[in-house]
Amino acid sequence: MSIGVDLYNFFTGKLQKERKFREEVKETYERSVSDFSKQIDLIAADISSATGCKVLVIIDDLDKLDLAVVKSIFQDNVNALFSPNIRVVFTIPISVIREPQIYSSLVSRSKIILLPVMKFFSKETAHVEQAEPIEGNVAMLAKIVEKRLPEHLIEPQIIRQIVLLSGGVLREMVRLCYQCCQECLLTLDLEPDTPDFKIDDVILAEAVKAVRNEYARPIGTQRFDLLAETYRNFRPPNAESEEFLELLHGLSVLEYENDDLWYDLHPLVADLLRRQNRI
Amino acid sequence: MSQLKLDTTNRRAFRKLVVAIKTQPQRLNLLLAVCDDLNLQAQLIDNYETELQDAGIGTYHTRLSHKRPSLKAALLELVERESALRAGDPAVVTVLNAGELLGVRLTEEKSEQEKFFFSLQWTREALRQFNFPIVLWLPDDVATRLAQRAPDFWSWRSGVFEFAGNSNRSVSMSGNVIGSTLITGDNNVIGDSNIINFSSQIPIADLEQQIATLTKASPESPLLITLHNTLGEAYERKYRYQDALAQYERALKHAEFHDDKNGQARSLRNIGDALQDFGRLDQAVPYYRRALVLDQTLQDWDGQAATLNQLGNTYCLLGQHSQAIDFYQQSLETARKIGTLQGAANVLGNLGSVYVSLGQHQQAINFYQQSLKIAREMESRQIEANALGNLGNAYCLLGQHSQAIDFYRQALEIDREIENLRGEAASLNNLGWLYRLLGQYPQAIDLFQQALEVARKIGDGRSEAYPLLNKALMLEQFGDISGARSHYEAAKAIFSDLGLQDLVKRCEAAIQALEE
């Protein structure tokens, strides 16, 4: 290479001056993506021979981008992205592959593996009162809570409620647990003489209230109708509309998988709609 | 520390916030505090900082810069400055100013708010380097937009703490011209004036409804130019500058689409006004200049007089007095040519304020008296209040204190009667200054505090900065070093946002002197 940066020497050298380096990479390879992927192949080969291991690259954080930006990355650069001869895992949010054009670019060049949300109910029983949840799945998430919260600090049936209220989303389950702990600390702060207590119904109710209000904020009043319709039909009127994809991205709507896909509201969002008599 | 009286809901949220900070003072924790009432916000911060300091947790402030609206940049700069934060001592950092970021794009590709949300979305990982809880204060509408526009950052929140207070939204203002003067330690005087065109007193809700209906039925209707401008002006009278700017921006787009020069001139002048009111003086000037060119092309004398006056105000606020005088005189000539008394009265008052800045008090008094005379003839209460307040300043500077008090009290009475909060804040601040000169310190501090509270009601940085500075001087005099420092710091930050470098330097010198 006559100009610009030598990617290979850079990686085998020191990883400093990252910002300047990025600019140089852009300048050098902007017009010649094939050179770029050759360089990546060389680096991978070097790592393989040095370590005796195969190389796996994980590209995370694409979910932070606006849908429009993700679109241009995958649609306009699909060849470049998949040209190096190494294994790459891109983590992308479900809302991205629900965009038909991106989906077709991706599916032609890669294998899409869907990591669905943990499901507690089948579509048939999802809105049935007193329906029995899928116990194996509940137990799996319950174990995570049990590992994080000592037994003497939480009542067992509360763990189950927390799991079910998470809608199967791990991060939101952790959020609820964290909120419960904050509520306990608040109680101790307001009433320092309270004897030993556990995370119970009262604490959970306060935690749920706080998280539910946080869910309400980004939804905005205009989207409640769309949510109500999604709830009633297990699918939105238009699964490709930007409005719906944003709700999916924000976890107000969750996607579940059976033989076909179906959608449901996050339990706390369903709760919001129930309070407004919309469902 | 001011005594905090909170209702049950606010108290719960407050204690929860304190507990969240106390639990993990050496770990990154993103705590979002939502509040529309700046007085309540100031009290809450004051109270948690005192409590946390007693618990051995260091308290720090930083402000988002509208020039570079990035949380990470603000924190990096703070950490660079504070060794305790680098050392990982228990600490909490309060982040202010999110409400001051503009939500409109103007000539930029992205609005300040959009830049902020984008940076939040992208610097989340970078925040991991900070080992302390961060309390980010947000007005309610900004919090909602943040949740929508920066979902990734939002998902990282450890808690949202909502506080209900008295927001400025319920305040109304009945006068039509503002022109008060704020005076600080020496002869620094600021003429703060703004012509608002009262073409309409249609209630805001009606205007909003009309715009919604028309936009749906006929989205390209030229009537929308007038409607958006009128609604913007109505918002501005309620001190809702951000909302006003958004309306003016829409009006301008419609006016450009229809090649309506009058509509463009009005929209441009309005954008300038809102930016000026928002303290963005540099940003206001190009809009006024564009409006002026159109006014001249159209031979719109009313418009020219108004735009010239506003240019004068902006330069006066920037401390560029000869330019200010030049614009005022052109405005005065134009106003006299077409015989608009109100315009003339307003400009005369503003001219007086420049002469005060130049130390020519007698000359200033002449202008103020002329302004007062016309205002009384026309029964324009607001210009009358402005003239009285300004006369108070001039007599104060001449050392004629009893006359000054008399003028200030008259001004204050009118300001309160017509609910002119900016004027009220100025009058309270100026009275405070006078009492300080007279050695009546407790009254002075009390008046500065009152001025501060009124200024925060309207969210007006300029009205807030002067009483802050004045209160700092008093606290220093009483030996309350940490109180004085925090007031100087807060005043300095606002002056810096406003681009008033002389006053920034003055605060810096005062802080430096405290250290020594």
Side-chain angles (χ1 to χ4, degrees):
Chain A
M1 258 183 327
S2 57
I3 50 153
V5 288
D6 183 341
L7 205 60
Y8 180 80
N9 283 331
F10 174 81
F11 269 104
T12 50
K14 48 192 172 193
L15 281 157
Q16 281 167 7
K17 297 178 191 161
E18 196 190 354
R19 180 177 304 189
K20 189 164 170 267
F21 173 71
R22 272 190 211 165
E23 278 161 26
E24 286 175 10
V25 167
K26 195 170 175 241
E27 271 172 34
T28 312
Y29 297 106
E30 207 160 23
R31 287 168 202 285
S32 173
V33 176
S34 60
D35 268 357
F36 183 60
S37 70
K38 264 184 229 159
Q39 290 286 316
I40 293 177
D41 282 353
L42 286 175
I43 295 164
D46 200 49
I47 295 172
S48 278
S49 64
T51 60
C53 299
K54 287 177 185 168
V55 174
L56 173 70
V57 175
I58 299 174
I59 300 186
D60 203 353
D61 272 357
L62 286 166
D63 53 343
K64 285 182 191 175
L65 290 164
D66 283 346
L67 205 54
V69 183
V70 179
K71 229 187 220 175
S72 78
I73 290 178
F74 284 108
Q75 254 164 243
D76 307 341
N77 302 295
V78 70
N79 288 327
L81 278 171
F82 295 112
S83 60
N85 290 301
I86 48 167
R87 288 179 181 77
V88 185
V89 174
F90 294 94
T91 62
I92 51 175
I94 281 181
S95 54
V96 169
I97 57 161
R98 290 292 155 253
E99 217 288 333
Q101 281 175 308
I102 301 180
Y103 181 80
S104 60
S105 329
L106 287 176
V107 81
S108 63
R109 305 300 303 258
S110 62
K111 190 176 174 199
I112 298 177
I113 299 169
L114 208 62
L115 299 173
V117 171
M118 185 81 78
K119 188 170 56 182
F120 299 132
F121 297 96
S122 66
K123 188 175 162 187
E124 290 69 35
T125 59
H127 297 171
V128 178
E129 263 184 65
Q130 312 291 333
E132 282 299 317
I134 301 165
E135 281 306 329
N137 290 349
V138 176
M140 197 186 298
L141 285 186
K143 242 181 226 160
I144 298 174
V145 181
E146 283 158 13
K147 268 191 183 169
R148 287 182 167 231
L149 287 172
E151 206 179 332
H152 66 280
L153 292 180
I154 184 162
E155 290 175 6
Q157 88 278 8
I158 298 292
I159 297 183
R160 188 180 172 79
Q161 284 185 50
I162 289 177
V163 169
L164 290 173
L165 283 168
S166 75
V169 185
L170 183 63
R171 189 182 74 195
E172 298 308 296
M173 185 179 80
V174 174
R175 189 188 306 285
L176 262 176
C177 292
Y178 176 83
Q179 272 300 332
C180 287
C181 296
Q182 291 302 115
E183 289 297 335
C184 289
L185 290 169
L186 175 67
T187 310
L188 285 173
D189 177 85
L190 294 172
E191 301 150 36
D193 299 330
T194 316
D196 289 352
F197 65 91
K198 291 181 170 187
I199 298 177
D200 57 13
D201 284 337
V202 182
I203 293 285
L204 179 63
E206 285 296 339
V208 164
K209 193 166 94 184
V211 180
R212 192 174 54 218
N213 286 340
E214 292 175 20
Y215 261 96
R217 189 173 281 280
I219 293 174
T221 49
Q222 284 154 12
R223 290 178 175 172
F224 279 110
D225 290 338
L226 175 58
L227 287 168
E229 199 172 341
T230 308
Y231 178 84
R232 274 193 297 272
N233 304 329
F234 293 103
R235 60 186 165 82
N238 175 8
E240 289 153 21
S241 75
E242 193 153 325
E243 248 191 331
F244 177 73
L245 293 178
E246 273 180 25
L247 291 170
L248 192 61
H249 190 112
L251 299 178
S252 294
V253 176
L254 303 175
E255 183 182 283
Y256 296 101
E257 218 185 3
N258 277 10
D259 289 339
D260 26 71
L261 293 173
W262 55 282
Y263 299 94
D264 204 354
L265 304 189
H266 186 287
L268 295 180
V269 175
D271 199 17
L272 269 174
L273 267 71
R274 251 176 241 120
R275 293 171 159 267
Q276 297 178 12
N277 292 322
R278 285 175 193 261
I279 55 172
Chain B
M1 184 178 67
S2 46
Q3 192 58 42
L4 196 58
K5 283 185 199 135
L6 297 174
D7 63 24
T8 322
T9 322
N10 279 348
R11 184 170 143 73
R12 227 185 126 74
F14 178 70
R15 292 313 310 165
K16 214 169 156 182
L17 175 62
V18 174
V19 167
I21 299 169
K22 274 186 176 170
T23 340
Q24 294 175 318
Q26 284 165 298
R27 261 191 60 179
L28 176 66
N29 223 357
L30 296 173
L31 309 168
L32 309 180
V34 181
C35 182
D36 274 344
D37 180 338
L38 291 174
N39 278 310
L40 177 62
Q41 178 180 318
Q43 280 180 3
L44 292 165
I45 295 173
D46 196 18
N47 274 267
Y48 72 62
E49 292 197 329
T50 308
E51 179 176 342
L52 294 167
Q53 281 160 14
D54 291 346
I57 297 172
T59 58
Y60 302 88
H61 279 196
T62 185
R63 289 166 71 88
L64 296 163
S65 150
H66 65 82
K67 290 185 182 130
R68 193 184 172 198
S70 150
L71 178 60
K72 182 187 155 194
L75 290 170
L76 276 177
E77 201 237 334
L78 179 72
V79 170
E80 178 80 41
R81 228 173 38 226
E82 301 289 349
S83 58
L85 289 175
R86 289 197 297 281
D89 295 347
V92 61
V93 172
T94 299
V95 182
L96 301 167
N97 221 28
E100 304 298 305
L101 302 176
L102 291 177
V104 293
R105 290 181 186 170
L106 299 174
T107 53
E108 303 279 322
E109 199 182 316
K110 280 184 178 165
S111 73
E112 292 163 7
Q113 276 184 17
E114 284 170 316
K115 285 182 198 162
F116 174 53
F117 299 149
F118 186 81
S119 80
L120 286 180
Q121 188 77 338
W122 278 94
T123 53
R124 189 197 74 177
E125 304 286 341
L127 298 181
R128 280 189 169 148
Q129 63 184 295
F130 303 118
N131 294 314
F132 43 77
I134 296 163
V135 186
L136 176 60
W137 284 87
L138 303 160
D140 191 71
D141 57 340
V142 179
T144 302
R145 253 169 274 152
L146 184 149
Q148 292 166 339
R149 305 311 318 163
D152 190 65
F153 178 82
W154 176 253
S155 73
W156 256 41
R157 71 198 183 272
S158 292
V160 180
F161 307 86
E162 296 184 14
F163 299 99
N166 298 316
S167 84
N168 59 0
R169 300 291 157 90
S170 58
V171 175
S172 71
M173 188 180 96
S174 54
N176 59 353
V177 183
I178 311 169
S180 58
T181 303
L182 297 174
I183 173 167
T184 60
D186 42 33
N187 290 355
N188 285 309
V189 179
I190 282 220
D192 154 7
S193 143
N194 182 12
I195 289 191
I196 296 170
N197 187 352
F198 268 55
S199 58
S200 163
Q201 290 286 13
I202 306 168
I204 283 181
D206 291 0
L207 285 165
E208 287 170 338
Q209 182 58 44
Q210 283 172 26
I211 288 178
T213 315
L214 194 59
T215 306
K216 211 172 173 187
S218 167
E220 288 179 2
S221 166
L223 291 177
L224 285 166
I225 305 167
T226 305
L227 279 175
H228 281 302
N229 268 320
T230 310
L231 177 59
E233 286 155 6
Y235 282 144
E236 210 172 335
R237 288 196 289 278
K238 301 240 178 206
Y239 305 97
R240 291 167 62 176
Y241 304 129
Q242 294 258 22
D243 294 331
L245 264 177
Q247 293 301 319
Y248 298 148
E249 200 184 32
R250 270 172 230 158
L252 181 62
K253 282 205 179 113
H254 283 285
E256 281 168 350
F257 177 79
H258 291 284
D259 198 27
D260 170 358
K261 296 270 187 300
N262 275 308
Q264 285 175 47
R266 180 178 173 195
S267 313
L268 289 164
R269 188 166 47 247
N270 276 338
I271 291 177
D273 289 353
L275 286 170
Q276 196 205 71
D277 278 337
F278 208 62
R280 303 297 179 80
L281 304 173
D282 291 336
Q283 281 166 278
V285 172
Y287 287 94
Y288 287 137
R289 293 214 178 258
R290 281 169 67 191
L292 189 60
V293 171
L294 288 173
D295 290 334
Q296 283 162 346
T297 315
L298 295 163
Q299 299 200 310
D300 172 358
W301 305 111
D302 274 326
Q304 267 187 61
T307 309
L308 287 163
N309 179 54
Q310 289 303 84
L311 274 165
N313 284 336
T314 310
Y315 281 105
C316 180
L317 289 164
L318 285 166
Q320 299 177 26
H321 299 125
S322 65
Q323 264 169 298
I325 289 179
D326 193 32
F327 281 118
Y328 285 143
Q329 261 158 355
Q330 288 182 57
S331 174
L332 191 59
E333 273 167 37
T334 316
R336 280 182 172 153
K337 198 179 330 184
I338 49 171
T340 54
L341 284 176
Q342 182 165 300
N346 192 40
V347 182
L348 284 164
N350 290 332
L351 260 174
S353 297
V354 191
Y355 281 100
V356 165
S357 305
L358 295 170
Q360 299 178 31
H361 305 312
Q362 202 51 54
Q363 177 81 323
I365 287 174
N366 286 341
F367 280 118
Y368 290 145
Q369 289 289 9
Q370 288 180 58
S371 177
L372 182 64
K373 187 165 171 272
I374 302 176
R376 283 183 170 156
E377 277 167 16
M378 291 171 50
E379 296 181 5
S380 169
R381 299 291 276 160
Q382 188 155 357
I383 299 181
E384 184 182 353
N386 296 338
L388 289 164
N390 285 334
L391 279 165
N393 288 339
Y395 281 103
C396 176
L397 291 166
L398 286 170
Q400 299 181 28
H401 296 146
S402 66
Q403 264 164 299
I405 287 191
D406 191 36
F407 281 121
Y408 284 145
R409 290 215 171 276
Q410 287 183 61
L412 186 61
E413 199 175 306
I414 300 177
D415 286 328
R416 284 182 169 157
E417 180 191 314
I418 62 174
E419 294 183 51
N420 174 18
L421 296 183
R422 270 205 165 162
E424 185 181 346
S427 298
L428 288 164
N429 177 58
N430 295 345
L431 258 180
W433 182 251
L434 197 57
Y435 278 106
R436 178 178 180 239
L437 289 179
L438 296 171
Q440 299 183 27
Y441 301 135
Q443 284 100 319
I445 286 198
D446 182 48
L447 284 159
F448 293 142
Q449 183 59 33
Q450 283 186 54
L452 211 49
E453 284 169 19
V454 176
R456 283 176 181 155
K457 252 193 231 173
I458 53 175
D460 179 31
R462 204 184 314 144
S463 303
E464 188 181 343
Y466 288 89
L468 272 171
L469 176 54
N470 287 335
K471 205 176 151 198
L473 291 165
M474 298 299 310
L475 292 171
E476 185 181 350
Q477 203 161 338
F478 281 117
D480 177 357
I481 301 300
S482 81
R485 187 184 296 112
S486 72
H487 279 72
Y488 280 130
E489 292 280 4
K492 181 186 130 187
I494 299 174
F495 286 132
S496 168
D497 284 349
L498 295 173
L500 300 173
Q501 285 313 315
D502 286 357
L503 288 157
V504 171
K505 281 188 195 136
R506 202 167 134 192
C507 293
E508 278 169 354
I511 294 165
Q512 182 70 29
L514 284 181
E515 306 288 335
E516 286 156 11

